[in-house]
Structures are given as structure tokens and as C-alpha cells.
Amino acid sequence: YDLSARRRGRRGAAVESLLCALTGAEAALVVNNNAAAGFLLLSALAAGRGVAISRGELVEIGGGFRVPDILARSGARLVEVGTTNKTRPADYAAALDAGEAQVLLRVHPSNFRVVGFTQAVSLPELGALARGRGVPLFCDLGSAAPGSPELAGAVAWADVCCFSGDKLLGGPQAGILLGKAEPLGRLRADPLFRALRPGKLALAALEATLLDWRDGTAVPVSAMLSAPPEELRRRAEALAEALSPLHPCTAVETAGEVGGGARPGESLPAWAAALEPAEALEAHLRAWRVPILGRIHRGKLLLDVRTLLPGDEAEIAAALAAWREERA
Ligand SMILES: *Cc1c(COP(=O)(O)O)cnc(C)c1O
């Protein structure tokens, strides 16, 4: 309900204004997921046009979502530029000069890394080229969090950018589109948007997550990812100490990874409680009333404390007490 207009409000309006306030974008729109966001973006704003994209960004996201296929489905024409490992501003410029491309697209290669003899065009370089030639720049960030330089850069340079609601943002499954008011207005007016808009439960969950970002309340995924190693060490030692009366347990330093292939090749300094016998305990904990998932490394079962929530320690202790009783 729109309080000031005294009539039914537009679904999504609250979330859109929060997104604009958090990111500085002129306008925002939310759809079911980021795959839908990318498809809507290309269908509504690039159909029938040539879209220049680096050969290093023709990726497949999980679940068989392939950038070239989605581009073809949207009615846009794929114009590959550069090579797998090296793409320069001149490669995009050549595609524009030849009249092959009328749109520039940047897709974040979320789940793989090219290392070695590589070169990529920065977003400001690409944005400056788009502005200089008067063509739109679209950017699929994959994942983004408010306040990050990547998101600020995309809002500053891209006409429209999009990212997932359930990756670094830590909210529900959703696709978030941010950008200039004019192209966002066209996306909202496109019939495809009606088919891709999220339900009110997803919008309510997204609003709650965005309010946490706005108010500086810890969003769980963000707090877990940024937990300092020193704090993790203290928590692992406390857990090991709490479990020791029930079962031999030590705190060990280890390495963790961000799940879902979101940060390929990156490891996080981590701390865990280590237990033995690894295989049998792993099975026991996994079958526990609240399944407890550890990782077996060098013959030990490691319970990484990074993803534990308050109260989880007591559940682990209960599972180990049951293990001990079964063997008494
Ligand atoms: C994850 C990802 C998508 C798909 O996002 P969903 O919200 O899972 O649909 C699309 N593009 C990129 C670059 C991604 O990383």
C-alpha cells in the first residue's frame, strides 16, 4: 500500500528504493534470479543488435546456463572479440567501428580463472569506450555486495548491471538489475518482466536482507566470509575445549573455500575442531538429527567453525555424547 498516495502500491517498489539508496543507482528492478535478469536485459534492450563480448567471458554458469546460448535466445547477435586469454579495448572498438556491434556486454567469469599470459579490459576503460561511441554497456556481475568497489564501478560505468540476490548479497534467490532510469523503465515495461517477476515472499526476504545491509546488521553470509582468522582461532579453541570432555578434540588451522564455485582458486584462512576416527564420526554426525557436515582431511574430521551459528556447538556436543554412549 502506498501510504502517501493512499492507494495500492506497486509490488517491488520498497525493495527498489532500498536498492537505489544502498548503491546510488538511479533505478532498480528485481526478477526471479540472475539468469532471468540477464535474459530480460538482452531480450528487451539488445534484440536484433550485435553484442560485443570478450571470448574470455563466454562462460557456462551452473545448471547449463551458457552465455552464448542465452544471447542467441534473446534475439541478440553474438559478436566475439579478443581471445580467450587476452582482450584489449581496441578489440571492442574494432567491432563497433566495423558496424558489427551496437552494444557492449561484460560478463563476470564467476566460476573459473585464467592465469598466466592474460589481459582484460577494466570496467572504466569499457565504460569510457561505450560513452565515447554512444553505445550502451551492460554488465553481468554474477555476485555483488553493497559497498564493494565492483558494484560501485558497475553502477558508475554500466547503463545496466545485474547480479544474484543469493550469492554475496546473502538474500533469497533473486536477480537484481540496477542502472539508469531510462533503460530500467524499458525493462519494467517489457512483457517478459511480468513473466519473470518474483513472488512477494522472495521480495519480503530480499527487503529484510537489504534492511540489514542498510542498518549495518550482520548478514550471515557476509559475516562468515569476513570473520577474522584470530576470531576463528578463538572459536575453534573454545569448541575443542567444550568437546574434549566427551571426545578427544584439538583446534587446527586449515583452509576453507567459498562454496558454489563463486571464488575459484581462492582459499580463506580457517580454523576447525579436529576429531578421529574420521570416517565413522563423519557418518555419525551426518546422520545426526540435525545433520552436521564436516570435511575429512589427512585422516581427521574437520569441523570448520566459520559457518557455525550460535547454538550449533551444543548440538555437536549432543551428537558426540550420543556417539560415546553408543560405545559405552
Ligand atoms: C551465478 C551467475 C548467474 C546466474 O545467477 P542465478 O541467480 O543463479 O540465476 C548469471 N551470471 C553470472 C555471471 C553468474 O555468476
Side-chain angles (χ1 to χ4, degrees):
Y1 189 80
D2 186 328
L3 292 174
S4 49
R6 287 199 298 169
R7 57 184 167 81
R8 191 176 164 194
R10 193 170 49 75
R11 185 188 290 186
V15 161
E16 288 165 22
S17 58
L18 268 170
L19 282 166
C20 292
L22 272 168
T23 64
E26 276 178 33
L29 196 64
V30 180
V31 292
N32 278 322
N33 51 43
N34 193 36
F39 185 55
L40 173 64
L41 179 58
L42 292 168
S43 303
L45 304 181
R49 304 215 266 167
V51 176
I53 178 169
S54 164
R55 288 194 169 89
E57 297 175 6
L58 294 173
V59 300
E60 173 172 323
I61 315 299
F65 178 90
R66 292 180 155 178
V67 169
D69 296 348
I70 220 70
L71 223 139
R73 274 295 185 95
S74 73
R77 200 163 21 82
L78 175 65
V79 180
E80 299 180 16
V81 304
T83 61
T84 307
N85 57 326
K86 284 211 172 203
T87 303
R88 303 186 180 85
D91 297 320
Y92 291 95
L96 295 174
D97 291 342
E100 289 168 14
Q102 296 79 35
V103 176
L104 301 184
L105 177 64
R106 148 72 51 108
V107 176
H108 190 269
S110 309
N111 50 12
F112 75 100
R113 270 171 79 181
V114 181
V115 295
F117 188 60
T118 64
Q119 182 177 346
V121 180
S122 74
L123 199 61
E125 280 176 307
L126 206 55
L129 178 66
R131 273 180 207 174
R133 305 298 174 102
V135 299
L137 168 63
F138 302 141
C139 179
D140 179 356
L141 291 164
S143 183
S148 67
E150 292 79 15
L151 183 54
V155 167
W157 287 105
D159 293 79
V160 182
C161 67
C162 62
F163 58 95
S164 281
D166 61 353
K167 292 181 182 168
L168 284 178
L169 188 71
Q173 179 186 300
I176 294 165
L177 292 140
L178 300 176
K180 309 266 180 289
E182 192 275 333
L184 265 289
R186 282 162 63 201
L187 293 178
R188 191 188 318 270
D190 194 280
L192 195 53
F193 169 62
R194 182 64 175 78
L196 302 175
R197 71 174 187 172
K200 51 191 155 191
L201 293 180
L203 286 174
L206 182 58
E207 183 177 0
T209 304
L210 294 173
L211 286 170
D212 280 351
W213 279 105
R214 186 197 67 182
D215 299 340
T217 310
V219 173
V221 71
S222 164
M224 287 171 184
L225 286 174
S226 62
E230 195 45 37
E231 179 201 317
L232 294 172
R233 183 176 66 83
R234 256 185 285 111
R235 285 169 55 194
E237 283 169 358
L239 178 62
E241 199 180 310
L243 298 180
S244 284
L246 299 162
H247 197 97
C249 182
T250 52
V252 297
E253 191 171 9
T254 179
E257 272 182 34
V258 182
R263 299 232 194 125
E266 253 182 64
S267 89
L268 298 169
W271 281 82
L275 301 155
E276 283 176 285
E279 301 280 343
L281 259 180
E282 190 277 336
H284 171 77
L285 293 180
R286 185 160 37 88
W288 185 241
R289 61 189 179 205
V290 178
I292 299 165
L293 304 182
R295 177 168 64 86
I296 296 175
H297 181 66
R298 295 195 179 150
K300 303 227 177 190
L301 176 65
L302 302 185
L303 301 177
D304 189 324
V305 294
R306 183 185 304 277
T307 53
L308 295 182
L309 296 170
D312 286 348
E313 286 85 352
E315 201 58 42
I316 298 170
L320 285 179
W323 164 274
R324 191 164 124 133
E325 248 165 60
E326 282 167 25
R327 269 148 202 81

